[in-house]
């Protein structure tokens, strides 16, 4: 998607890619950058207290819990069981499943990432996304796809100097405000919703957040 640019304009606090987006172009139709949903969400969150944006963050939405938003249909994805793989599965099998799910999925479903669950308990232990493939930078590194998901994630998180054991998630009792704050703070594209046993029961993406804001502000 190309977005006509008119001489710049900055995005503040954008995350490093993620979610659907567009490529701003200049008058010569040359791509001058990439604008993602994560960038838009981070910018709105950073400027949420500005007086000239009174309707950007509907207050009635901010204080509601994910359970309430799911039951009302504002965030149906919190009650839609997400795609998951076991941590003992091979990474190749995990991506094959992700591709298969995306090929047969409805357009509104998010199938760019899967939750990784413990093979014994079913608890969420990580997240695997299409973006992680960018760390396979040469043909020999493709052998990592035959490793377990656990080993592959360790390889990827180490490469990006991130916390290997960090799992970003949320529960139905948390508010929409807490959800958005967590997404922006940790620069992630999705939050898995967990039950009391830490098993994934839903997911909230940047797309879901922006759709909810748009629907509630109209």
């Amino acid at each position: 998607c190309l977005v006509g640019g008119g001489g710049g304009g900055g995005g503040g606090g954008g995350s490093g890619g993620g979610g659907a987006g567009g490529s701003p172009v200049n008058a010569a139709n040359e791509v001058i950058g990439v604008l993602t949903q994560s960038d838009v969400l981070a910018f709105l969150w950073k400027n949420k207290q500005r007086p000239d944006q009174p309707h950007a963050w509907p207050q009635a939405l901010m204080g509601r819990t994910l359970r309430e938003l799911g039951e009302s249909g504002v965030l149906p994805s919190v009650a839609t069981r997400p795609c998951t793989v076991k941590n003992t599965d091979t990474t190749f099998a995990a991506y094959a499943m992700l591709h298969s799910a995306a090929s047969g999925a409805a357009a509104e479903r998010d199938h760019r990432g899967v939750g990784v669950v413990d093979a014994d308990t079913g608890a969420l232990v990580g997240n695997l996304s299409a973006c992680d493939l960018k760390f396979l930078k040469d043909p020999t590194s493709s052998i990592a796809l035959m490793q377990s998901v656990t080993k592959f994630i360790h390889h990827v998180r180490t490469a990006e100097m991130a916390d290997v054991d960090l799992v970003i998630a949320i529960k139905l009792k948390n508010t929409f405000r807490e959800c958005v704050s967590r997404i922006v703070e940790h620069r992630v594209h999705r939050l898995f919703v967990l039950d009391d046993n830490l098993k994934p029961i839903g997911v909230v993406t940047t797309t879901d957040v922006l759709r909810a804001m748009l629907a509630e502000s109209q």
Side-chain angles (χ1 to χ4, degrees):
C1 175
L2 299 182
V3 182
S15 68
S23 299
V25 298
N26 60 19
N29 212 35
E30 299 170 329
V31 175
I32 58 175
V34 176
L35 180 65
T36 70
Q37 290 181 342
S38 295
D39 293 327
V40 174
L41 187 59
F43 176 82
L44 291 173
W45 183 253
K46 179 181 178 180
N47 295 280
K48 62 181 180 297
Q49 300 298 335
R50 285 176 53 177
D52 59 338
Q53 294 187 8
H55 305 298
W57 294 95
Q59 293 306 306
L61 180 65
M62 300 296 279
R64 298 171 68 183
T65 66
L66 298 188
R67 183 185 300 279
E68 293 172 337
L69 294 173
E71 293 174 347
S72 65
V74 176
L75 281 178
S77 61
V78 301
T80 303
R81 189 166 297 279
C83 291
T84 60
V85 297
K86 296 178 181 178
N87 59 347
T88 53
D89 291 340
T90 66
T91 305
F92 181 85
Y95 277 117
M97 188 277 288
L98 187 60
H99 174 73
S100 177
S103 299
E108 66 272 12
R109 290 293 303 278
D110 171 58
H111 287 288
R112 288 169 296 197
V114 294
V116 180
V117 300
D118 184 273
D120 297 320
T121 67
L124 185 74
V125 293
N127 169 64
L128 184 71
S129 75
C131 291
D132 293 326
L133 289 172
K134 67 184 179 183
F135 290 98
L136 301 182
K137 297 181 178 179
D138 59 76
T140 59
S141 64
S142 62
I143 194 172
L145 293 174
M146 303 313 298
Q147 297 178 335
S148 69
V149 175
T150 295
K151 290 184 178 180
F152 181 78
I153 290 178
H154 186 279
H155 170 77
V156 168
R157 300 296 178 264
T158 300
E160 62 182 358
M161 295 182 289
D163 188 341
V164 174
D165 299 316
L166 182 64
V167 177
I168 311 300
I170 203 160
K171 292 189 174 183
L172 290 174
K173 66 181 180 181
N174 291 112
T175 64
F176 185 79
R177 181 189 299 274
E178 292 170 321
C179 177
V180 178
S181 175
R182 206 162 294 182
I183 287 176
V184 174
E185 176 185 354
H186 294 284
R187 299 165 64 88
V188 295
H189 312 148
R190 64 189 57 80
L191 282 181
F192 287 96
V193 184
L194 308 182
D195 64 13
D196 291 337
N197 295 313
L198 305 183
K199 296 180 179 180
I201 57 175
V203 64
V204 180
T205 68
T206 52
T207 301
D208 297 324
V209 170
L210 292 172
R211 281 178 176 171
M213 288 175 56
L214 181 62
E216 290 295 301
S217 62
Q218 291 178 339

